[in-house]
Amino acid sequence: MYTPITSAHAAEPPRKPWTVPMLADAKRGGRRLVMLTAYDASFARCMDDAGVDLVLVGDSLGMVVQGQTSTLPVSVDDIAYHTACVARGLSRALLISDLPFQADATPERALDASTRCLQAGAAMVKLEGAGHKLEVIRFLVEREIPVCAHLGLTPQSVLRLGGYKVQGRDERAAARLREDARAVAEAGASLLVLECVPSQVAADITAAVSIPTIGIGAGPQCDGQVLVLHDLLGINTGHRRPKFVKDFLADGGSVAGAMHAFADAVRDGSFPDAAHSYE
Ligand code: KIV
């Protein structure tokens, strides 16, 4: 049975529950954001107790929970179910739900899927890409649905990309990423996940946009960092382990310790280091 770590943190004042406007305040104040994925109430509660700021019900659940080879088979029903489970474990962290493959193909479909996520307990939805998704972002934001954008390696594009590869390596691709980042922020996104991009490209984007950036394989200069729970805990999911993954259970000694170690390393800027980033 998990026991929250209290001794080292007992003196901390109660922390306010996160709201969407607090994200921009965090960026302005230079406070790094700590984000993890979760799929059930028990792990979500551990994260909340460990001071994780943002919890994502990622469509990574297709790979790490369902044992699929990609995120493409994940449905809105799956995301809504896991969102409701995770929501029951949280009292402070901001809950974000992924819109699964093609649930955001049109503004109307995205609105239906997002409404289900918010009614299940999420405060924000995440969607991949720019291009025609800019219209979707605007449509959702105008209808009071906060949006997290996701650029760089977008796993729902795996068939077009031909695999899970670092994005934005040449100057043309990097310029396109910078342009897309500005566009999703202008369309009204409140947060931006950058996955598998060279550190300098992520640093430039982070400096250029007013919304917080959350990196995963995007170097240390993002406004926050995210890891998939199973990667944080060193669990072998049968998939190739990317360079940016670090097993925090080895450092932390327990599940709660791993979450605290990750949160501390993100906040003090020691994770990710060069060994867990791309040039
Ligand atoms: O689905 C997911 O878990 C994600 C994170 C890797 C950011 O999108």
Side-chain angles (χ1 to χ4, degrees):
M1 188 71 180
Y2 160 70
T3 313
I5 293 180
T6 49
S7 53
H9 303 271
E12 286 180 10
R15 288 166 294 204
K16 282 205 301 194
W18 276 92
T19 62
V20 174
M22 285 163 69
L23 299 175
D25 295 344
K27 175 151 183 155
R28 277 192 293 272
R31 184 199 186 296
R32 287 203 181 92
L33 296 165
V34 179
M35 176 162 154
L36 284 172
T37 68
Y39 315 96
D40 69 38
S42 301
F43 278 109
R45 189 175 303 279
C46 294
M47 291 173 195
D48 218 57
D49 290 341
V52 171
D53 305 310
L54 307 167
V55 172
L56 170 68
V57 176
D59 61 358
S60 51
L61 73 85
M63 297 170 84
V64 302
V65 176
Q66 298 174 338
Q68 315 269 13
T69 55
S70 77
T71 60
L72 304 191
V74 175
S75 67
V76 176
D77 283 348
D78 295 334
I79 294 285
Y81 171 78
H82 287 281
T83 296
C85 295
V86 168
R88 289 180 205 117
L90 299 180
S91 55
R92 176 187 163 268
L94 188 101
L95 177 54
I96 304 172
S97 297
D98 246 341
L99 293 185
F101 186 53
Q102 302 305 357
D104 56 357
T106 66
E108 290 74 17
R109 288 185 67 164
L111 179 61
D112 287 348
S114 304
T115 302
R116 289 192 60 193
C117 294
L118 266 55
Q119 288 176 341
M124 181 178 281
V125 295
K126 177 166 82 60
L127 59 86
E128 297 183 5
H132 79 278
K133 300 290 180 69
L134 297 174
E135 186 195 348
V136 177
I137 295 172
R138 277 190 290 269
F139 191 84
L140 294 178
V141 172
E142 280 166 6
R143 284 157 184 79
E144 311 300 350
I145 297 183
V147 173
C148 171
H150 182 158
L151 297 174
L153 170 56
T154 47
Q156 292 173 16
S157 316
V158 64
L159 300 177
R160 177 177 59 79
L161 297 175
Y164 300 102
K165 299 172 183 167
V166 181
Q167 302 296 306
R169 277 214 145 127
D170 61 65
E171 185 40 44
R172 201 159 153 235
R176 179 70 195 266
L177 267 178
R178 289 192 292 268
E179 203 177 292
D180 285 349
R182 266 193 287 268
V184 295
E186 268 167 31
S190 302
L191 200 61
L192 170 59
V193 167
L194 292 172
E195 179 164 355
C196 283
V197 301
S199 302
Q200 190 55 53
V201 175
D204 292 345
I205 290 173
T206 299
V209 296
S210 60
I211 58 174
T213 60
I214 307 290
I216 174 162
Q221 291 186 60
C222 294
D223 299 306
Q225 300 291 331
V226 58
L227 279 182
V228 169
L229 171 66
H230 295 61
D231 291 339
L232 174 98
L233 300 179
I235 295 171
N236 177 2
T237 57
H239 304 289
R240 190 180 60 83
R241 242 184 112 173
K243 182 185 181 189
F244 59 78
V245 165
K246 182 172 172 191
D247 174 357
F248 279 90
L249 189 61
D251 286 357
S254 66
V255 169
M259 291 172 184
H260 278 287
F262 173 63
D264 289 348
V266 171
R267 291 191 180 119
D268 70 19
S270 57
F271 181 80
D273 56 12
H276 296 90
S277 305
Y278 302 101
E279 289 309 309

